[in-house]
Amino acid sequence: MRVIMVKGFSKTGKTTTVTQIIKELRRRGYSVGTVKDIHYEKFAMDHPGTDTYKHTQAGAQRVTALGEKETDILLSRRMDIDAVLKYYKEDFVILEGDSGADCPAILTGATEEDLAKRMTDQVIAVSGIISGKLDHYGRLPVINCLEEVEKMADLIEKATEEQKQEADVILTIDGVEIPMVPFVKNTLKNVVIGAVKALDGYEEGKEIAIRVKG
Amino acid sequence: MRVIMVKGFSKTGKTTTVTQIIKELRRRGYSVGTVKDIHYEKFAMDHPGTDTYKHTQAGAQRVTALGEKETDILLSRRMDIDAVLKYYKEDFVILEGDSGADCPAILTGATEEDLAKRMTDQVIAVSGIISGKLDHYGRLPVINCLEEVEKMADLIEKATEEQKQEADVILTIDGVEIPMVPFVKNTLKNVVIGAVKALDGYEEGKEIAIRVKG
C-alpha cells in the first residue's frame, strides 16, 4: 500500500487535485482509497431519522450500515490516522488534508505566501490554484492536475516506490516447512494480513507470526 | 466479543428492540457496536456535494471522513458480515436484520404468522410488536423490550456466554503477542485453516505456523 497526502489551505484546489489523481491512478489499473480530514466542528455523516442514527443515539460506539452496494462503518470518535490506514488495503491511499501521516505530500496554494506557510521536507510537488501562475516553486515542480495529471501520477508512483515491500512467507506444519509457489505465498500473505490488520499492534512491514492448533 | 442478531419483518419493532438492548448493555458497562442490514436498493450514506462524495465519484473504492468527533469509513461495495465483524472489538455487537451471521437471534413479529415464517433453531426469544399480545411462543419467551429489557439482557448475556471461549491461536507481530478477543481468535483460526488445508502436508490437529513479513 502506498500513501500520499494532498494538503494546503481551504479553497486552494485540494479536492480537485485529489479527484484528478484518483481518476488517473484508477485509469492505470490501481485500486484507490482516500481519507478526507474534516476540521468542521459540526460535521456528521449520518442524520436524524435513520436506524443507524438511532443506534448511535442509544449509545452504540461503532455502527455499520451494511447496504446492497456499500458498507459504511461509523465510529463515534476521531481515530488516529495510522489506525484508519489499518482498514485499507488499496494499492494507493490519498489523504486529503494534513492528518499527521508520515508520507510524501503535494502542496496546494493560491499564492506563494500560502505555499511558504505550509512547506515541509515531505512536499514533492505543488498544485492547486497557483499552478496556472508558476512553473516551479524553488526546486519543486508546479503541476496543473486538470491539464497534466499524468505528470503528477508519474511523480507519485516514483515517490512512493519504496513503500512497496516484497515479503517472505514461511509456513510450517508440525515443524515441517511446506513449499509454496509464489502465487500461493502471495495469497497466504494477503489472507494473513487481511485477518490481522484491523488488530491493534499491526503495522505494515512488521513480521506476523501465527500458531494454530488445527 | 459476543454477537447477537435481531431479525424479523419490516415494521415489527426491530430498531426499537435493538436500541433498548443497546441502552441496557451500555448501562451494564459493556461497550456495544451494531450492524444494520439495509435491503433498500437506493440506500446511500453520503450525499452529493461533499468532498468524500466527490472522491467516490472519481473512483475511490474506500473513503474515510475523519472528523473531529467521528470517523466514517465508506466502502463502495457490500462486505460479508464476517469481514465487517473483524473491524469490531466491542464487548457486544448487535446485528439488526439477517445478515447471515451464525449467532443467537431475537425474532420480532407483529403476528404469529410472521414468527412462523422466520423461525430458526438460533432464535432464543421473541420480541417486537407481538410482545403485548403473547407471553410465550412455543417454548420461547416473548419479551417486551420497552418494559422488561433487563430480562432480555439477562437472556442475551447467557446465550452468548459460550462465545467467550477461546480458540488455541497465538499471534505475534515483531515478536510481541497481540491480545485478541475470542471471537477474533476463532475467526483467525478459521481463516488460517481455510487458507492452508488444501496444501500437501496439512492434517487436522497439526500445529500450523506462519511467518509473514507484512
Side-chain angles (χ1 to χ4, degrees):
Chain A
M1 201 169 76
R2 299 151 84 172
V3 181
I4 189 130
M5 182 186 289
V6 176
K7 65 174 194 170
F9 290 109
S10 286
K11 299 185 192 287
T12 57
K14 281 199 301 293
T15 305
T16 301
T17 301
V18 169
T19 55
Q20 287 295 104
I21 294 170
I22 294 168
K23 287 181 203 166
E24 180 59 21
L25 291 175
R26 294 281 282 131
R27 202 175 291 135
R28 293 182 184 198
Y30 293 113
S31 56
V32 178
T34 68
V35 179
K36 164 76 185 177
D37 199 10
I38 300 171
H39 287 288
Y40 166 56
E41 185 74 17
K42 291 180 179 167
F43 167 74
M45 177 62 71
D46 207 354
H47 51 275
T50 67
D51 290 347
T52 44
Y53 186 86
K54 290 174 189 165
H55 291 188
T56 303
Q57 291 302 108
Q61 290 130 312
R62 191 185 315 254
V63 174
T64 294
L66 184 57
E68 308 255 352
K69 291 171 183 165
E70 64 180 70
T71 307
D72 311 304
I73 303 173
L74 316 178
L75 188 73
S76 303
R77 61 177 176 82
R78 182 179 173 89
M79 277 172 82
D80 188 82
I81 183 64
D82 291 329
V84 171
L85 288 173
K86 281 182 200 163
Y87 289 85
Y88 282 71
K89 51 187 163 190
E90 283 70 24
D91 297 321
F92 278 93
V93 182
I94 306 166
L95 312 178
E96 180 176 339
D98 192 347
S99 46
D102 179 22
C103 64
I106 294 155
L107 178 60
T108 62
T111 64
E112 291 195 45
E113 288 69 35
D114 284 353
L115 299 178
K117 282 179 187 160
R118 304 297 301 274
M119 186 57 64
T120 63
D121 289 348
Q122 300 267 42
V123 176
I124 60 162
V126 165
S127 191
I129 290 176
I130 204 166
S131 60
K133 304 172 197 164
L134 284 183
D135 276 342
H136 280 77
Y137 180 81
R139 293 178 314 165
L140 295 172
V142 179
I143 299 171
N144 183 338
C145 285
L146 286 169
E147 288 172 9
E148 43 181 4
V149 69
E150 300 83 1
K151 205 169 145 187
M152 184 63 94
D154 290 345
L155 203 61
I156 289 171
E157 283 186 332
K158 191 158 159 268
T160 57
E161 185 67 29
E162 67 185 21
Q163 293 179 19
K164 289 197 302 182
Q165 281 171 337
E166 288 302 320
D168 284 326
V169 180
I170 299 164
L171 168 68
T172 60
I173 292 181
D174 272 2
V176 180
E177 188 171 340
I178 306 297
M180 292 179 284
V181 297
F183 182 84
V184 173
K185 277 197 179 187
N186 279 324
T187 303
L188 186 54
K189 179 197 160 187
N190 290 337
V191 164
V192 166
I193 290 177
V196 308
K197 71 186 303 183
L199 300 175
D200 284 337
Y202 173 78
E203 269 175 45
E204 208 174 312
K206 285 187 172 178
E207 188 189 75
I208 302 160
I210 306 174
R211 279 179 188 279
V212 174
K213 189 81 178 160
Chain B
M1 199 168 79
R2 297 150 84 172
V3 181
I4 187 127
M5 183 186 289
V6 176
K7 66 174 195 172
F9 289 109
S10 286
K11 299 183 192 289
T12 57
K14 280 199 301 292
T15 305
T16 301
T17 302
V18 169
T19 54
Q20 287 296 103
I21 294 169
I22 294 168
K23 287 181 204 166
E24 179 59 20
L25 291 175
R26 294 282 280 133
R27 203 175 290 135
R28 294 182 184 199
Y30 293 114
S31 57
V32 178
T34 68
V35 179
K36 163 77 186 176
D37 200 10
I38 299 170
H39 287 290
Y40 165 55
E41 185 76 18
K42 290 179 181 169
F43 167 74
M45 176 63 70
D46 207 353
H47 50 276
T50 67
D51 290 347
T52 45
Y53 186 86
K54 288 173 190 165
H55 291 187
T56 304
Q57 291 302 108
Q61 289 131 314
R62 189 185 317 253
V63 174
T64 294
L66 184 58
E68 307 255 353
K69 292 172 181 165
E70 62 180 70
T71 306
D72 312 302
I73 303 172
L74 317 177
L75 187 74
S76 302
R77 60 177 176 80
R78 183 179 173 88
M79 274 171 84
D80 188 84
I81 183 63
D82 291 329
V84 171
L85 288 173
K86 277 185 204 156
Y87 291 96
Y88 281 71
K89 47 188 164 191
E90 283 70 25
D91 297 321
F92 278 93
V93 182
I94 306 166
L95 313 177
E96 180 176 339
D98 193 346
S99 46
D102 180 21
C103 63
I106 294 155
L107 178 60
T108 63
T111 64
E112 292 196 46
E113 289 68 37
D114 286 351
L115 300 178
K117 282 180 188 160
R118 304 296 299 275
M119 187 57 64
T120 63
D121 289 348
Q122 300 267 42
V123 176
I124 59 162
V126 164
S127 190
I129 290 175
I130 204 166
S131 58
K133 305 172 197 164
L134 284 182
D135 276 342
H136 280 77
Y137 180 81
R139 293 177 314 163
L140 295 173
V142 178
I143 300 173
N144 183 337
C145 286
L146 286 170
E147 289 171 9
E148 43 181 4
V149 69
E150 300 82 0
K151 204 168 146 187
M152 184 64 93
D154 291 344
L155 202 63
I156 289 171
E157 282 185 332
K158 190 158 160 270
T160 57
E161 187 66 29
E162 69 184 22
Q163 291 179 19
K164 294 199 295 182
Q165 277 174 9
E166 306 214 3
D168 192 3
V169 179
I170 299 164
L171 169 66
T172 60
I173 293 182
D174 272 3
V176 179
E177 188 170 341
I178 305 299
M180 290 179 285
V181 297
F183 188 88
V184 173
K185 277 196 177 185
N186 281 320
T187 303
L188 184 56
K189 180 183 174 178
N190 291 337
V191 164
V192 166
I193 290 177
V196 307
K197 71 193 296 185
L199 299 175
D200 285 340
Y202 173 78
E203 268 176 47
E204 206 175 313
K206 286 189 172 177
E207 188 189 74
I208 302 161
I210 306 175
R211 279 180 187 276
V212 174
K213 185 81 177 162

